[in-house]
Amino acid sequence: MPDTKRKIILSGMRPTGKLHLGHFTGALENWVGLQSEYRNYHLVADYHALTTNLDTSMLHENTIDMVIDWLAAGIDPVESPVFRQSMVKEHTELFLLFSMLVTRNRLERNPTLKEQARDLHIESDNLVYGHLGYPVLQASDILLYRANAVPVGEDQLSNVEITREIARRFNREYGEVFPEPEPRLTVFKRLPGLDGADRKMSKSLGNTVLLADTPAEVDAKMRKAVTDPQKLRKNDPGRPDVCLVFTYHQKFNPAETGEIREGCESGALGCVDCKKRCAARISEFLAPHLERRAALEQDRPLVEDILVDGENRARAAARDTMGAVRTAMKLG
Ligand code: ATP
Ligand code: MG
């Protein structure tokens, strides 16, 4: 019997391989936390991965690596179907219908697209149609499961807004089929990357700490982290509020933030020590994740089975929605 009382979450990530701390603090942590309150669907956005990388040779391996991180972080695949977007054909069908309900101008104005184009140096002449349509496919991902909530990082807010507009437009045109999903943000909704506080941590920018990094790797990466540019020597006073290392302390070392702030502002605490302490806390936090990850690495066929099972369950829900869409639109 499907549980009809709990509201629905749809959340996805592009399979770009092992996840980083930004994926965790911005989204995954929320997915796990909301798992008992909502019915969760977790989508591997493999079509979306093609928008910025046409090379599919690593897609499968990257999918398994990412799903291992989801499971190691606490996603329960029995409760929450985990599935690949490309294995449920209804996504593309709804994408086509939704593409009639949004203007080109609206998509070109999308701030998420602008940020990505800036960060990845994509000129507008080189932007592919599928990239422009990214939020339309995302709307089909979300609304195919008639999701009420979408836990995302801040960079995704304007995409979710487009989903809401498409849902309203469809309902107005053809009758009430879709809910208007609400975004759900975490406190650390935009974790900066190691290269400065103004760019988000992102795999494509190469400024990440991975959930799979060993203590030695975390340490080495943290040593290179950019800190307050005005704090040049150890005893110079620093400004924790503009320093990304302090943001990481707030998340992974909350008990010591008062002392760290004081030490940084007075100049008593140098950046090298501050980073070392931060790296140690991050590694402590990651230790149980690494252990669960290693166990799952030994059983990749299990991860494949989890996907196939999730796809069967997702397909049933997707067919149901497409039935309602076809009836509302008097198609066929
Ligand atoms: P990458 O560039 O590292 O591949 P991405 O942004 O392409 O990352 P997505 O699959 O688009 O990855 O994002 C998955 C989820 O993780 C989204 O909800 C996104 O908002 C969130 N997220 C990604 N990076 C960060 C970050 N640095 N801080 C907070 N949330 C983030
Ligand atoms: Mg993204």
Side-chain angles (χ1 to χ4, degrees), residues 273-285:
D273 288 340
C274 177
K275 288 177 181 184
K276 253 191 220 150
R277 284 169 67 173
C278 190
R281 292 291 169 273
I282 291 175
S283 291
E284 263 168 40
F285 170 82

Side-chain angles (χ1 to χ4, degrees), residues 12-14 16 20 22-23 25-27 116 134 151-156 188-192 200-204 208:
M13 290 188 193
R14 303 189 308 153
T16 39
H20 55 68
H23 291 129
T25 66
Q116 240 183 18
Y134 189 113
V152 285
E154 191 175 58
D155 62 303
Q156 289 289 329
F188 294 87
K189 53 191 189 291
R190 185 190 176 85
L191 196 73
K200 69 166 191 150
M201 185 176 285
S202 165
K203 192 119 182 189
S204 25
T208 64

Side-chain angles (χ1 to χ4, degrees), residues 25 40 43 49 57 63 72 84 147 179 183 186 199 205 230 252 285 293 296 299 308:
T25 66
N40 286 18
L43 165 130
S57 57
T63 295
R84 286 162 289 197
T186 60
R199 297 210 299 182
L205 299 175
Q230 286 182 17
F252 299 104
F285 170 82
R293 214 179 185 291
L296 287 158
D299 201 355
V308 172

Side-chain angles (χ1 to χ4, degrees), residues 289-307:
H289 186 89
L290 281 182
E291 212 170 288
R292 288 190 292 265
R293 214 179 185 291
L296 287 158
E297 284 281 7
Q298 297 305 311
D299 201 355
R300 291 171 90 90
L302 170 77
V303 183
E304 309 258 0
D305 289 348
I306 285 173
L307 284 169

